Amino acid sequence: MQQMAQSSVFLSGMGGLGVEIAKNIVLAGVKVLTLHDTKQCETWDLGSNFFLRQDDVLTQRNRAVAVHPRVAELNPYVHVDTSSSSLDLSTDLCFLKRYQCVILTEARLSLQKKINDFCHFHQPPIRFIGCDAYGICVRVFCDFGDQFEVSDPTGEEAKEMFIQNITQGNPGVVTCMDSRTHGLQTGQSVLFREVNGMDTLNGTARQVTVLSPYSFAVGDTSCLQPYAHGGFFLLVKTPRTYSFAPLQIHAAMLALDAFQEQHNRLPNIGELVRCLSRTAQGSLPPLAAAVGGIASQEVLKALTGKFAPLQQWVGQPTEVRRSDWLFGGDRYDGLRACIGETMCLELHKLRVFMVGCGAIGCEMLKNFALLGVGLAKSSGEVCVTDPDLIEKSNLNRQFLFRSQHIQKPKSTTAAVATLEINPEMQVDAHLNKVCPATEGVYNDLFYSRLHLVVTALDNVEARRYVDSRSVSNQKALLDSGTMGTKGHTEIIVPNLTESYNSHRDPPEEEIPFCTLKSFPAVIEHTIQWARDKFESAFAHKPTIYNMFWQTHSSAEAVLQRMQQRETLEGAFQVVKLLSRRPSQWEHCIILARLKFDKYFKRKALQLLHSFPLDTRLKDGSLFWQSPKRPPSPIEFDLKDTLLRMSPRLFEKDDDLNGHMDFVASASSLRARMYSIEVADRLKTKRIAGKIIPAIATATARRRRAGETTHEHTHSMTSEVEGALWDRTYHGVDCVVLQVHYGIEPTMVVHGVKMLYVPVMPGHNKRLKLTMQKLIKPSVDRRYVDLTVSFAPESDGDEDLPGPPVRYYFSPDGDAHTA
């Protein structure tokens, strides 16, 4: 961030691709960005440049001047200026010396070569990026000089891995604790710390040779002392130098090489040219967004030396079937040139439901606006819902929001911004969460009117629910997500692909309670402990107190009932809080001082009394060995900066409220107590606030990359098959399934309620009950969706999942039995 904040960037060409790059770079936070363009705004530009308005076209403003205020307001810390000077083969390029990176879009190859040569041979080299999107054909070229050093090629955070054993030998073999996978590659280096016995390894880096996912060799350890216990290792980030060649060398051969690799022959005259010439004047906004994300990421790599750069060229023609093109003289002509009039009209008529309006949601709405999705005149609509309010931390990537929008609803704010891009759209903004509680709003009738569901969510549980509703209503779903520079897009199509719920991500690893309470091993443990203490003191206990007095009218009535030996839920906690409640500031100081001794002194003394440092287990091994760390009692010291704090209710983004002071101080003290390396405030904030790493360049790129997994059938017997998109309607009679199809249901579930599980006591009696009696639906409930699994044909196999079942209730309530 410091390197970016000291960098100046020159960007030429304010078409659809250029404005995407400008948006991403400003959100990332450079020092200076110069927007250059010599062209005037045209109606055509409205279909690709989301920062241009109809008034800019009518007044024929310069494109750089027109977008300038809207780009600048994305980040007040970035100085954005403009240039409309001529830039051609006769231009003196000395003005580029003040920039660290130059990006050209919409520039002729001859000009790109000239500027690239100037940048390449300048000392120090000016990082050069050339990129273009001609209709459905795109290219990105990078040249960062002869010797470009990257300090961190992967960007992955180095994790501490605990050691089970290190052998004495040549080579010595390191084994990870608890069969954890080390994730290393041969040739990488690791740094050792806190190793007992083989102490001389500590603080040294050794190159590894991978032997298995759980072990690796580290060279000769035969002369070292025998390994005793403990220790961990970290991956050492090894800088790497990259060499770049100028564009002049690449340009002539790249297209030819790519064609030969793909087709094993030289191209026929006009093949690639035909594809390019048909669409070159057009624009495909999602493609420009994806290429803009790639190019912007390369800019950040060029300025920071973090992440491996593009080596050195990427280009891709996209296959698009265009049957017709009718020039309409409006904002959609660029799109028509790529996909044709018929497809444009289909986009205008689309009715889309988007769940979530964060970073991905903003990008989606922008693309919908440029594509003309959901136009009012075509009876189309985009419905977006999000219950969240805009926070300050959202502003670095959710580009439809500004500082004046903080604490306003995301959905309604984004809807207004979307209509500014394309006033012809019909956007309906809701503030609802999509969950079982809102099925009355987002019911089957609502889904029946849709063509497409889009998820722009930040959690798996919500994705799974929306996916289940899309599957049960046979609607296509587009799901996306990002994590730092990584991301995914999954396209789910009825009767063609699997659904989101068809596969499961590994569950998040939870920290055991005993580890948090007494045996923290890494800084994440102490930060989570501090956050839990904050929640307990300033959220959980006050909530119990308030709920108690909402139930009971007065203290006198409570005392009277307690004297009558009545049990009142929460009474003990309330009495305890009242008895310890400070009445003046001095009492607060005393309470804080006592808490300090309890957490950071007495707890350590108690543990060391129960388990002295020489305590051994039954097998003779030491109790206090890695990953267990013996605590050291901390004496209170007024001069210690970690004791200065003033907590209230947790809000990570307000640096003046003291919340992060409390968590950072408590975590650091506990880390010191257990000899764990203390985390800085930024890392503590990321972990305690559960901040998901995010960057605008990755969000923009997610909007086009996609994957589909083809649907597969589930064989319930050799003669009966079911698939995800199959449907069983009306009654589900377990007896009929057994007699007629020879398949035995092993479980029938509605939501989280198990309706029928034969092995559970009393469940066989439920075969005689009606579904109404089992589920007790509301009067207006017409059906329920059930999950059914079946017994396998062979003993010992796992139960077989069946297709989703929709059970319709009969009017008399007695027609169907479960």
Side-chain angles (χ1 to χ4, degrees), residues 668-709:
S668 298
L669 285 165
R670 189 166 175 82
R672 183 190 298 174
M673 176 175 157
Y674 281 92
S675 302
I676 297 172
E677 186 176 346
V678 172
D680 60 25
R681 184 183 178 90
L682 184 62
K683 183 174 182 179
T684 303
K685 180 177 180 179
R686 177 174 61 79
I687 296 173
K690 293 180 169 57
I691 298 173
I692 299 174
I695 189 167
T697 53
T699 308
R701 279 164 31 198
R702 276 315 101 204
R703 302 319 324 132
R704 186 172 179 277
E707 59 182 65
T708 59
T709 306

Coordinates of all heavy atoms in Angstrom, one line a residue, residues 668-709:
S668 N -2.5 -9.1 22.5 CA -1.0 -9.0 22.6 C -0.5 -9.4 24.0 O 0.6 -10.1 24.1 CB -0.6 -7.6 22.3 OG -0.9 -7.3 21.0
L669 N -1.2 -9.1 25.0 CA -0.8 -9.5 26.4 C -0.9 -11.0 26.5 O 0.1 -11.6 27.1 CB -1.7 -8.8 27.4 CG -1.5 -7.3 27.7 CD1 -2.6 -6.7 28.4 CD2 -0.2 -7.1 28.5
R670 N -1.9 -11.6 26.0 CA -2.0 -13.0 26.1 C -1.0 -13.7 25.3 O -0.4 -14.8 25.6 CB -3.4 -13.5 25.7 CG -3.7 -15.0 26.0 CD -5.2 -15.3 25.8 NE -5.5 -16.7 26.0 CZ -5.7 -17.3 27.1 NH1 -5.5 -16.7 28.2 NH2 -6.0 -18.6 27.1
A671 N -0.7 -13.2 24.1 CA 0.4 -13.7 23.3 C 1.7 -13.6 24.0 O 2.5 -14.6 23.9 CB 0.5 -12.9 21.9
R672 N 2.0 -12.5 24.6 CA 3.3 -12.4 25.4 C 3.3 -13.4 26.5 O 4.3 -14.0 26.8 CB 3.4 -10.9 26.0 CG 4.6 -10.7 26.7 CD 4.6 -9.4 27.5 NE 4.4 -8.2 26.6 CZ 4.2 -7.0 27.0 NH1 4.2 -6.8 28.3 NH2 4.1 -6.0 26.2
M673 N 2.2 -13.6 27.2 CA 2.1 -14.6 28.3 C 2.4 -16.0 27.8 O 3.0 -16.8 28.6 CB 0.6 -14.5 28.8 CG 0.3 -15.5 29.9 SD -1.4 -15.1 30.4 CE -2.0 -16.6 31.1
Y674 N 2.1 -16.3 26.6 CA 2.4 -17.7 26.0 C 3.5 -17.7 25.0 O 3.7 -18.6 24.3 CB 1.1 -18.2 25.4 CG 0.1 -18.8 26.3 CD1 -0.9 -17.9 26.8 CD2 0.2 -20.1 26.8 CE1 -1.9 -18.4 27.7 CE2 -0.8 -20.6 27.7 CZ -1.8 -19.7 28.1 OH -2.7 -20.2 29.0
S675 N 4.3 -16.6 25.0 CA 5.5 -16.5 24.1 C 5.2 -16.7 22.7 O 5.9 -17.4 21.9 CB 6.6 -17.6 24.6 OG 7.0 -17.4 25.9
I676 N 4.1 -16.1 22.3 CA 3.6 -16.2 20.9 C 4.0 -14.8 20.2 O 3.8 -13.8 20.9 CB 2.1 -16.4 20.8 CG1 1.7 -17.8 21.3 CG2 1.6 -16.3 19.3 CD1 0.3 -18.0 21.4
E677 N 4.5 -14.8 19.0 CA 4.8 -13.6 18.3 C 3.6 -12.7 18.2 O 2.6 -13.2 17.6 CB 5.5 -13.9 17.0 CG 6.0 -12.7 16.3 CD 6.7 -13.0 15.0 OE1 7.0 -14.2 14.7 OE2 6.9 -12.1 14.2
V678 N 3.7 -11.5 18.6 CA 2.6 -10.6 18.6 C 2.3 -10.1 17.2 O 3.2 -9.9 16.4 CB 2.9 -9.4 19.5 CG1 1.8 -8.3 19.4 CG2 3.1 -9.8 21.0
A679 N 1.0 -10.0 16.9 CA 0.5 -9.5 15.6 C 0.4 -8.0 15.6 O 0.1 -7.4 16.7 CB -0.8 -10.1 15.2
D680 N 0.6 -7.3 14.5 CA 0.4 -5.9 14.5 C -1.1 -5.6 14.4 O -1.9 -6.5 14.3 CB 1.2 -5.3 13.3 CG 0.7 -5.8 11.9 OD1 -0.5 -6.3 11.8 OD2 1.5 -5.8 10.9
R681 N -1.4 -4.3 14.5 CA -2.8 -3.9 14.6 C -3.6 -4.3 13.4 O -4.8 -4.7 13.5 CB -2.9 -2.4 14.9 CG -4.3 -1.9 15.1 CD -4.3 -0.4 15.2 NE -5.6 0.2 15.4 CZ -6.2 0.3 16.6 NH1 -5.6 0.0 17.7 NH2 -7.4 0.8 16.6
L682 N -3.0 -4.2 12.2 CA -3.7 -4.5 11.0 C -4.1 -6.0 10.9 O -5.2 -6.3 10.5 CB -2.8 -4.1 9.7 CG -3.5 -4.3 8.4 CD1 -4.7 -3.4 8.3 CD2 -2.5 -4.0 7.3
K683 N -3.1 -6.8 11.2 CA -3.4 -8.3 11.2 C -4.5 -8.6 12.3 O -5.4 -9.4 12.0 CB -2.2 -9.1 11.5 CG -2.4 -10.6 11.4 CD -1.0 -11.3 11.5 CE -1.3 -12.8 11.4 NZ 0.0 -13.6 11.5
T684 N -4.4 -8.0 13.4 CA -5.4 -8.2 14.5 C -6.8 -7.8 14.1 O -7.7 -8.5 14.3 CB -5.0 -7.5 15.8 OG1 -3.7 -7.9 16.2 CG2 -5.9 -7.8 16.9
K685 N -6.8 -6.7 13.4 CA -8.1 -6.2 12.9 C -8.7 -7.1 11.9 O -9.9 -7.4 11.9 CB -7.9 -4.8 12.3 CG -9.2 -4.1 11.8 CD -8.9 -2.7 11.3 CE -10.2 -2.0 10.7 NZ -9.9 -0.7 10.3
R686 N -7.8 -7.6 11.0 CA -8.3 -8.5 9.9 C -8.9 -9.8 10.5 O -10.0 -10.3 10.1 CB -7.2 -8.9 9.0 CG -7.6 -9.9 7.9 CD -6.5 -10.1 6.9 NE -5.3 -10.6 7.5 CZ -5.1 -11.9 7.8 NH1 -6.1 -12.8 7.6 NH2 -3.9 -12.3 8.3
I687 N -8.2 -10.4 11.5 CA -8.7 -11.6 12.1 C -9.9 -11.4 13.1 O -10.9 -12.1 13.0 CB -7.5 -12.3 12.9 CG1 -6.4 -12.7 12.0 CG2 -8.0 -13.5 13.7 CD1 -5.1 -13.2 12.6
A688 N -9.8 -10.4 13.9 CA -10.9 -10.1 14.9 C -12.2 -9.7 14.2 O -13.3 -10.1 14.5 CB -10.5 -9.1 15.9
G689 N -12.0 -8.9 13.1 CA -13.2 -8.4 12.4 C -13.6 -9.3 11.3 O -14.6 -9.0 10.6
K690 N -12.9 -10.5 11.2 CA -13.3 -11.5 10.2 C -13.4 -10.8 8.8 O -14.3 -11.0 8.0 CB -14.6 -12.2 10.5 CG -14.5 -13.0 11.8 CD -15.8 -13.7 12.1 CE -15.7 -14.8 13.2 NZ -15.1 -14.3 14.5
I691 N -12.4 -10.0 8.5 CA -12.3 -9.3 7.2 C -11.8 -10.3 6.1 O -10.8 -10.9 6.3 CB -11.4 -8.1 7.3 CG1 -11.9 -7.1 8.3 CG2 -11.3 -7.4 5.9 CD1 -11.0 -5.9 8.6
I692 N -12.6 -10.4 5.1 CA -12.2 -11.3 4.0 C -11.4 -10.4 3.0 O -11.8 -9.3 2.6 CB -13.5 -11.8 3.2 CG1 -14.3 -12.7 4.1 CG2 -13.1 -12.6 2.0 CD1 -15.6 -13.1 3.5
P693 N -10.1 -10.9 2.7 CA -9.3 -10.1 1.8 C -10.0 -9.8 0.5 O -10.6 -10.7 -0.1 CB -8.1 -11.0 1.6 CG -8.1 -11.9 2.8 CD -9.5 -12.1 3.2
A694 N -10.0 -8.6 0.1 CA -10.8 -8.2 -1.2 C -10.0 -7.1 -1.9 O -9.4 -6.3 -1.3 CB -12.2 -7.7 -0.8
I695 N -10.1 -7.2 -3.2 CA -9.5 -6.2 -4.1 C -10.3 -6.0 -5.3 O -10.9 -7.0 -5.9 CB -8.0 -6.7 -4.5 CG1 -7.3 -5.6 -5.2 CG2 -8.1 -8.0 -5.3 CD1 -5.8 -5.9 -5.3
A696 N -10.4 -4.8 -5.8 CA -11.4 -4.5 -6.9 C -11.0 -5.2 -8.1 O -11.9 -5.5 -8.9 CB -11.4 -2.9 -7.1
T697 N -9.7 -5.4 -8.4 CA -9.3 -6.0 -9.6 C -9.8 -7.5 -9.7 O -10.2 -7.9 -10.8 CB -7.8 -6.1 -9.8 OG1 -7.2 -6.6 -8.6 CG2 -7.2 -4.7 -9.9
A698 N -9.8 -8.2 -8.6 CA -10.3 -9.6 -8.6 C -11.8 -9.6 -8.8 O -12.4 -10.4 -9.5 CB -10.0 -10.3 -7.3
T699 N -12.5 -8.6 -8.2 CA -14.0 -8.5 -8.3 C -14.4 -8.3 -9.7 O -15.3 -8.9 -10.2 CB -14.5 -7.4 -7.4 OG1 -14.1 -7.6 -6.1 CG2 -16.1 -7.4 -7.4
A700 N -13.7 -7.4 -10.4 CA -14.0 -7.1 -11.8 C -13.8 -8.3 -12.7 O -14.6 -8.6 -13.6 CB -13.1 -5.9 -12.3
R701 N -12.7 -9.1 -12.4 CA -12.4 -10.2 -13.3 C -13.4 -11.3 -13.1 O -13.6 -12.1 -14.0 CB -11.0 -10.7 -12.9 CG -9.9 -9.9 -13.6 CD -8.5 -10.2 -13.0 NE -8.3 -11.5 -12.5 CZ -7.3 -11.7 -11.6 NH1 -6.5 -10.8 -11.2 NH2 -7.2 -13.0 -11.1
R702 N -14.0 -11.4 -11.9 CA -14.9 -12.5 -11.7 C -16.2 -12.4 -12.5 O -16.9 -13.4 -12.7 CB -15.4 -12.5 -10.2 CG -14.6 -13.1 -9.2 CD -14.1 -14.5 -9.6 NE -12.7 -14.4 -10.1 CZ -12.1 -15.2 -10.9 NH1 -12.8 -16.2 -11.4 NH2 -10.9 -15.0 -11.3
R703 N -16.4 -11.3 -13.1 CA -17.7 -11.0 -13.8 C -17.7 -11.8 -15.1 O -18.8 -11.8 -15.8 CB -17.9 -9.6 -14.1 CG -17.9 -8.7 -12.8 CD -18.6 -9.3 -11.6 NE -19.8 -10.0 -12.0 CZ -20.0 -11.2 -11.4 NH1 -19.2 -11.8 -10.6 NH2 -21.2 -11.8 -11.8
R704 N -16.6 -12.4 -15.6 CA -16.7 -13.1 -16.8 C -16.3 -14.5 -16.7 O -16.8 -15.4 -17.4 CB -15.8 -12.4 -17.9 CG -16.1 -13.0 -19.3 CD -15.4 -12.3 -20.4 NE -15.6 -13.0 -21.6 CZ -14.9 -14.0 -22.0 NH1 -13.9 -14.4 -21.3 NH2 -15.2 -14.6 -23.2
A705 N -15.2 -14.8 -15.9 CA -14.8 -16.2 -15.8 C -15.9 -17.1 -15.3 O -16.7 -16.7 -14.5 CB -13.6 -16.3 -14.8
G706 N -16.0 -18.3 -15.9 CA -17.2 -19.1 -15.5 C -16.8 -20.6 -15.6 O -15.9 -21.0 -16.3
E707 N -17.5 -21.4 -15.0 CA -17.4 -22.8 -15.0 C -18.7 -23.5 -14.9 O -19.6 -23.0 -14.3 CB -16.4 -23.3 -13.9 CG -17.0 -23.0 -12.5 CD -16.0 -23.5 -11.5 OE1 -14.9 -23.0 -11.4 OE2 -16.4 -24.4 -10.7
T708 N -18.9 -24.6 -15.5 CA -20.1 -25.4 -15.4 C -19.7 -26.9 -15.1 O -18.7 -27.4 -15.7 CB -20.9 -25.4 -16.7 OG1 -20.2 -25.9 -17.8 CG2 -21.4 -24.0 -17.0
T709 N -20.5 -27.5 -14.3 CA -20.2 -28.9 -14.0 C -21.5 -29.7 -14.4 O -22.6 -29.4 -14.0 CB -20.0 -29.1 -12.5 OG1 -19.0 -28.3 -12.0 CG2 -19.7 -30.6 -12.2

